[in-house]
Amino acid sequence: MRALDHRRPATAQEAVDLVARHPGATFLAGGSNLVDHLKLGVASPDVLVDVRRLPLDGIERVEGEDGAVLRIGANVRNSDLAAHPVVRSRFPVVARALLAGASGQIRNQATTAGNLLQRTRCVYFQDVTTPCNKREPGTGCSALEGYGRYNAILGASPDCVATHPSDLAVGLAVLDATVVVLGLEGERRIPFDELHRLPGDRPGADTTLARSDLVTAVELPLDPDVHRSTYTKVRDRASYAFALVSVAASVRMEEGRTTDVRLAWGGVAHKPWRARRAEAALAGQQITEDAVRAAVDLELETTTTNRDTAYKVAMLRNTTVMTLLDLAEEASR
Amino acid sequence: MDREISLVVDGASHAVTVDSRTTLLDTLRERLGNTSPKKGCDHGQCGSCTVLLDGRRHLTCLALAIAYDGSEVVTAAGLGADEPHLVQRAFLEHDGYQCGYCTPGQVCSAVGMLAEAKQGHPSHVTEDLDAAVELDDAELRERMSGNLCRCGAYPGILAAVRRAARG
């Protein structure tokens, strides 16, 4: 591990300025992903700007310009977010997604922003003895011919087939969340769907943020109408494993038909995959097995699979059917 | 970069100078001589380094010591300093181990897990997110899933944690 300077700025703005000033600096929050990557040699900053103790740890209702939002501070720990009463009752998809990820210990350590900004990765990204375009641009992608069970099937590029491992991110994708970012030019808000990016020919960048941009909060719209939402994760073992595929869904129904349906998938792409074509196909429809299968297949028209990933198509279809049928039943109760 | 930090470990205050790259686990074991937390995978996957950090169960292998300057650590050794803790007695009673290497982490994790449940924290297997937590076996297994036992002493561990959950 490279020699490291450790700074603890007093304010968020000071943290942003510090990272901007030092080309080798990076933010440290909970550290569950970064410290692992320091040990593996995957990350080699020379300055850690420690933001964990900045007072960004509140969960509060705020009246915003477009109505009320639940504002979640960047440093709220995953366990506290999952246990928050408003999150549990209004945004079960968030609680379910968080509780489906990592372990009790790591959820006590990992923060809201850190969870979203953990690296998009595959086993080769974490193994510095192998080529990886994300880690070292231009060296090639080992996952294309290697262990491919977790590879992306949507939006991948010839340069990178890694998937984003966050469950929380998939859950937030269906809530039309907003990410509050502090940068050198001040504060700005970006739609959640624009936080992460597809790899293209620049797989080194997981997000659209600048290096010195600090996520300070995530805001969830507190829609007066009740949306039923949940998260289903399929994995190789019952607990403490990344998703093979996962489904986040949010539904509003009136008289047996959807008035609002949102769907996002995890384990299939370099970013949480908002399935907008499938959503459009289900808009105003009854949620039936046939309708959901058709909608999923429409979304999957652009999928690329191989021997290792072909299973994900059927798994995704079945998991989406199961999740939406359950939610529709709940919504019509 | 070296820096002096202070830690309260099992009730005793320490000032220790650490390199910025030193983990909390290595600080406890190599610098303070507290070998209760164990180094298993050293990558956050096995849970054997679990302690109670500022009151909550926490890994020490993925924590840089300098980031926890001023923190309070309780290890399994500290839990049983005077007499064995309820959870430790349950592990003894139900043979919740074979080689014992993962046990200090299991014990700290169980203590932290029971406190979380008492505060009403739900888990992945909790059916009703708004209901009170009932720690049945499925809940205990899920909540303890961050601690691996390569001897496979899980039936004994489960029995011990079940016993401890009764109080």
Side-chain angles (χ1 to χ4, degrees), chain B residues 35-120:
Chain B
T35 54
S36 174
K38 297 295 187 279
K39 187 180 281 193
C41 69
D42 209 23
H43 285 281
Q45 295 172 7
C46 77
S48 68
C49 67
T50 303
V51 300
L52 298 168
L53 178 61
D54 296 324
R56 305 171 75 158
R57 56 176 170 162
H58 205 287
L59 302 176
T60 51
C61 71
L62 294 183
L64 295 176
I66 43 167
Y68 293 90
D69 184 13
S71 285
E72 184 181 0
V73 175
V74 176
T75 71
L79 284 172
D82 300 323
E83 55 181 63
H85 184 278
L86 166 72
V87 169
Q88 291 167 323
R89 288 203 310 273
F91 270 72
L92 284 167
E93 191 183 323
H94 292 277
D95 208 15
Y97 39 73
Q98 184 174 311
C99 81
Y101 195 78
C102 71
T103 311
Q106 300 275 5
V107 166
C108 288
S109 188
V111 171
M113 179 277 289
L114 292 173
E116 289 160 12
K118 210 169 182 179
Q119 289 164 29

Side-chain angles (χ1 to χ4, degrees), chain A residues 222-237:
Chain A
L222 279 163
D223 193 325
D225 295 321
V226 175
H227 296 245
R228 307 286 170 170
S229 70
T230 197
Y231 184 74
T232 312
K233 180 175 182 179
V234 184
R235 39 191 164 171
D236 271 336
R237 51 179 191 244

